[in-house]
Amino acid sequence: MSGLDARMELEGFNNIPRRLFKRGPLRRAFRRSGQVVAKEARKRISARGPGVGEYPLKRSGRLQKSIKVRVSKAGLLVKVFHEKRQDMKDFYPAFLHYGTSRGLASRGNWIADALRSKEAEVRRTLTQGMDEALS
C-alpha cells in the first residue's frame, strides 16, 4: 500500500460473471462504504493535537470539504480522495502527507487509516450488497 493508496478486496466473488450482478444494489453498497470511510477521514482531520505522525488540525474546514467519494460506472469500485479545488495553487493534501523540506512535518494518511478502522463495517456493507446484487 503506497502513501495515498488503500485497498480492500472481498474474496469469494471473483469467479462470478459481471452480467449476473444487479448494478443498483452494488453501487449503493459501494457508495455507502465510501461515505463511511470519508466521514471517518473527516473526523481524523478535525481531531485536536497535531504533531509529527498525527493528522492535520482543522482550521478553515477546506481540507475536510475537499474529501469526495466517487463510484465507478460499473459500480465495482469506490474512490475516496481529496479533490483539488480551483483556488488551490498546489495540492495541499500531498504536502501534509509527505511533508516538505522547509520544515512541514509529514502527517499520517487519514484516508487509509480511516479505511483500516472501518474495515469490518465496510466488509459487512459490501458483502450484504453483493448478496443483494446476486439475488
Side-chain angles (χ1 to χ4, degrees):
M1 187 175 344
S2 73
L4 293 175
D5 184 28
R7 294 176 168 263
M8 188 176 80
E9 294 184 20
L10 290 176
E11 299 203 6
F13 296 98
N14 299 346
N15 297 326
I16 301 172
R18 281 190 185 179
R19 68 180 183 281
L20 296 180
F21 286 104
K22 296 177 195 164
R23 285 179 45 182
L26 214 49
R27 289 180 64 81
R28 280 191 297 276
F30 273 96
R31 180 171 286 112
R32 272 189 304 243
S33 297
Q35 288 169 343
V36 165
V37 172
K39 184 177 180 180
E40 180 65 22
R42 287 184 191 107
K43 283 182 186 178
R44 289 171 184 271
I45 292 172
S46 68
R48 298 290 172 210
V52 176
E54 295 181 23
Y55 308 116
L57 178 66
K58 176 183 173 185
R59 294 208 172 127
S60 67
R62 290 171 66 190
L63 185 64
Q64 282 181 320
K65 291 174 189 168
S66 73
I67 295 177
K68 302 296 179 195
V69 176
R70 185 169 295 147
V71 180
S72 69
K73 287 183 182 181
L76 299 174
L77 173 102
V78 67
K79 182 177 179 181
V80 180
F81 63 102
H82 282 280
E83 183 175 62
K84 185 174 184 228
R85 298 166 48 119
Q86 290 179 349
D87 59 341
M88 283 185 186
K89 185 176 180 181
D90 295 310
F91 192 58
Y92 184 60
F95 290 132
L96 288 173
H97 176 70
Y98 293 111
T100 64
S101 60
R102 295 181 179 234
L104 182 62
S106 174
R107 304 300 169 101
N109 188 338
W110 47 92
I111 295 176
D113 293 345
L115 175 61
R116 274 189 227 101
S117 73
K118 294 294 184 177
E119 183 177 356
E121 184 178 347
V122 168
R123 280 187 187 279
R124 195 171 39 254
T125 302
L126 291 178
T127 302
Q128 289 170 353
M130 294 280 200
D131 290 340
E132 190 178 334
L134 288 170
S135 63

